[in-house]
Amino acid sequence: MVQEIVTGDQPSDTTVEAAPVRRRDRLRSGGSAGWGRTAAAVAAGLLMFLAFPPNLLSDAAGSTGIWPLAPVGVAVFTLAVRGVRARTGAWLGLLTGLSFFLVLLDWVRVIGPDAWAGLSLTEAAYFAPLGAGVAVVGRLRGWPLWTAALWVSEEFVRGRWPFGGLPWGRLAFSQTASPLTPYSALGGAPLVSFVTALIGALLALALLRARGRKIKGGARMAGLALAAAAVAGVGGLLVPVPDTGRQVTVAVIQGNVPRLGLDFLGQRKAVLDNHIRRTRELAAQIRAGKVPKPELVVWPENSSDLDPYTNDDARQSIDDVVKEIGVPVLVGAVVTAPDGHNVQNRGIVWDPRTGPGTYYTKRHPVPFGEYVPFRSVLQKLITRFDRVPSDFLPGTWPGLLQLGPVRIGDVICFEVAYDGIVRDVADAQMLVVQTNNATYGHTSLPWQQLAMSRLRAVEHGRTVLVAATSGISAIVEPDGRVRTQSGEFVPDIQVARVPARTARTIADRVGPLAEWALALLGIGAVAVAFRNNRREGA
């Protein structure tokens, strides 16, 4: 069975099965896929999961996993589906998706086991057409290239549909501190995913050629495949990653929350007081000469769940502390929406002289978390949605804001995972990620989100300020290095002098074209493969 996985000795789609096999015999053999392929498909998902943070072999910042296991997982997956029918490839793809997302999205269990299982199954479903596609294009010449493009195709669709998609678990997000990271400065996260998958497919080709004794020059071809994989792996090191720029002193405040759990929002005043207290502590340190005075300060998402536009006490408290620190503060606040019923998630520029000014409203609220699709129906069926009594309405423009001497690009929480939302503010001199991970504290989510921020820093050549209510807050250099980093569920003040840059990366100039081209390349390869099959069957 292992030999069958490696060599791909399996009937093609045009092969007619012999007499029906009895159910008991099919169970013993593992069905049309076979137990060997089934085990390989499951193992592939687990290997890819280990490439994501956190784990025992993470770097000092904790935001990398065992990144080489991502291409290894792709290689095992490619071998598992090679040579099988498209429908069998779809089944094996689903198994890989389930073994991957059930562990990667383990943080969703704090919402409920049903939410965790439902989201994992939904995300895993996208691996079914991926498995079918990889099985089909495996019959084409140059199949490692088409296989890699199909990974981008899968991520393209999954990151957009339904309800705006969920890009969590992209191959690129496992490569945020690896030799492949610099590729993001050329073609963004899609190019990193493509190169990661290409290396995996080339590893699969090398193994196939090495084991293919009947193939002339098998050893030579295996060596060429390995060499190509090595070139792709080290090629990223040749991409220049900037780390210079006009120096600006910044501060990130992590006030912390009173306790864990979904009900922390009920303690709004305590959360706001925590951030005010930390900012006053920073002002005291400045007066004592312990730290330099920052030119701007960033508070996290939900640092004020009391609407400062309508709550006089909250407004006065924020205004007082901003005047005390003497520089503009980006305040994360939940405010009443213009319709008077729903709410909005905003980052507000609070000036020490003029008070609240320009703001950014989160453009991509989380479905079922910040708003409930089909509310009139679902709220009757799922009582948990009572915890979301009103919807977060989306903003309509990118988060480009002037914060003191720096033009910042603000994104809020999960938005850091979406290429387009971050790209829209990449013209800023510095990026800000305001987030609130209190619900998911002590899970893998904060670490995975920090890893995304590190990739965005390199992709756009920008310093990234990550302000989290309860952690993990961090200041990330334009080359992806973590300058400072907080723990979880502790108050924290971070002050650093970092580059503010204006130069654009190639990825910024190319924009979404790289992803579209690679995604269409994969889909086109599938179309060609199906056309060839029809011709052969004619």
Side-chain angles (χ1 to χ4, degrees), residues 70-132:
V72 172
V74 171
V76 173
F77 173 76
T78 303
L79 293 172
V81 302
R82 180 164 175 77
V84 302
R85 297 176 176 84
R87 63 188 180 190
T88 303
W91 165 246
L92 292 170
L94 179 63
L95 290 178
T96 297
L98 283 172
S99 67
F100 176 56
F101 285 110
L102 281 171
V103 285
L104 184 77
L105 302 179
D106 180 68
W107 46 268
V108 184
R109 288 198 300 171
V110 301
I111 305 297
D114 53 343
W116 167 56
L119 182 60
S120 298
L121 178 60
T122 300
E123 294 292 287
Y126 291 91
F127 274 48
L130 173 63

Side-chain angles (χ1 to χ4, degrees), residues 166-404:
L166 181 65
W168 224 265
R170 296 168 71 182
L171 289 176
F173 295 152
S174 69
Q175 303 297 308
T176 57
S178 82
L180 306 186
T181 309
Y183 280 114
S184 63
L186 299 180
L191 181 59
V192 179
S193 287
F194 174 79
V195 177
T196 304
L198 179 61
I199 293 172
L202 288 170
L203 291 176
L205 173 61
L207 184 57
L208 286 169
R209 293 303 190 187
R211 295 292 297 272
R213 299 171 185 171
K214 297 180 181 179
I215 301 177
K216 185 178 180 180
R220 181 173 62 86
M221 288 299 298
L224 289 174
L226 287 175
V231 169
V234 302
L237 299 177
L238 303 178
V239 179
V241 177
D243 59 359
T244 60
R246 177 173 62 92
Q247 295 293 303
V248 178
T249 304
V250 301
V252 173
I253 300 294
Q254 177 175 302
N256 200 17
V257 298
R259 64 171 182 265
L260 291 173
L262 285 170
D263 60 349
F264 78 92
L265 291 176
Q267 302 174 66
R268 300 173 178 178
K269 185 65 167 62
V271 174
L272 175 57
D273 287 346
N274 284 350
H275 287 86
I276 290 173
R277 189 176 300 112
R278 296 286 81 76
T279 307
R280 284 189 171 140
E281 182 180 329
L282 172 60
Q285 292 177 1
I286 295 170
R287 289 192 296 268
K290 295 181 179 179
V291 296
K293 182 176 181 178
E295 297 165 75
L296 59 92
V297 177
V298 177
W299 284 9
E301 176 190 23
N302 293 122
S303 48
S304 178
D305 281 338
L306 297 172
D307 186 347
Y309 296 122
T310 60
N311 187 299
D312 292 338
D313 289 341
R315 182 187 182 101
Q316 190 62 56
S317 296
I318 296 172
D319 203 53
D320 288 345
V321 76
V322 173
K323 287 177 178 173
E324 183 175 351
I325 199 70
V327 298
V329 178
L330 185 67
V331 176
V334 175
V335 305
T336 304
D339 65 5
H341 169 66
N342 292 300
V343 293
Q344 291 184 315
N345 194 343
R346 288 186 182 176
I348 306 169
V349 175
W350 207 290
D351 188 88
R353 294 181 300 276
T354 59
T358 56
Y359 59 85
Y360 166 63
T361 301
K362 187 176 184 180
R363 297 165 63 194
H364 196 302
V366 178
F368 306 104
E370 293 179 312
Y371 75 96
V372 181
F374 317 116
R375 177 182 287 274
S376 60
V377 176
L378 293 180
Q379 198 160 5
K380 296 176 182 177
L381 302 175
I382 305 175
T383 58
R384 187 185 296 115
F385 289 147
D386 292 339
R387 296 179 180 177
V388 190
S390 57
D391 290 334
F392 280 76
L393 301 186
T396 55
W397 61 81
L400 288 167
L401 305 169
Q402 190 69 33
L403 187 64

